[in-house]
């Protein structure tokens, strides 16, 4: 068994790995502020973007909705497709109260291993679940852990 891969194999593998995980560098605060300030929350000083991830949850989401109503505030809820299917009434109530529903993925999996076909299928399922329940196509996607790989970027563009 050779101790190292031949250069003709190693370089393409390394390039592929970098292309897959490279966009995830925007997860790092310094990189995000420099390359994508809007993703880092640097916008108009009088505007606050309020988001909630990982729902809908039948216990906590209604509490957030009540608190937001009391404040007269609106938020974007980044939901998981599998939870939308389990709790469609919570999603409908979120929209009825004037909040935006966006996609956080089908499930909260880790993005490290490249799986472009799986990413496309999962993201399309999540978009369809949100659209079926709300009647509105979601506009935004926030990947789990805020880590955007090239595969998830391509999946979001496709969906």
């Amino acid at each position: 068994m050779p101790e190292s891969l031949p250069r003709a194999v190693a370089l393409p593998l390394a390039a592929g790995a970098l292309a897959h995980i490279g966009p995830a560098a925007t997860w790092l605060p310094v990189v995000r502020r420099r390359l994508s300030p809007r993703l880092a929350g640097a916008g108009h000083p009088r505007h606050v973007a309020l988001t909630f991830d990982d729902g809908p949850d039948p216990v906590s989401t209604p509490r957030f909705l009540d608190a937001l109503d009391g404040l007269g505030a609106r938020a974007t809820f980044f939901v998981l497709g599998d939870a939308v299917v389990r709790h469609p009434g919570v999603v409908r109530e979120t929209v009825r109260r004037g909040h935006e529903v966006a996609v956080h993925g089908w499930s909260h999996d880790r993005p490290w291993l490249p799986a472009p076909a799986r990413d496309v299928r999962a993201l399309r399922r999540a978009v369809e679940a949100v659209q079926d329940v709300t009647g509105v196509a979601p506009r935004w996607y926030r990947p789990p852990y805020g880590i955007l790989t090239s595969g998830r970027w391509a999946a979001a563009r496709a969906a």
Side-chain angles (χ1 to χ4, degrees), residues 25 33 44 62-63 83 90 98 145 156:
R33 279 192 302 272
H44 192 281
R63 291 180 180 162
V90 178
Y145 307 102

Side-chain angles (χ1 to χ4, degrees), residues 13-29:
L13 282 175
L18 182 61
H20 170 69
I21 206 66
T26 60
W27 178 72
L28 299 167

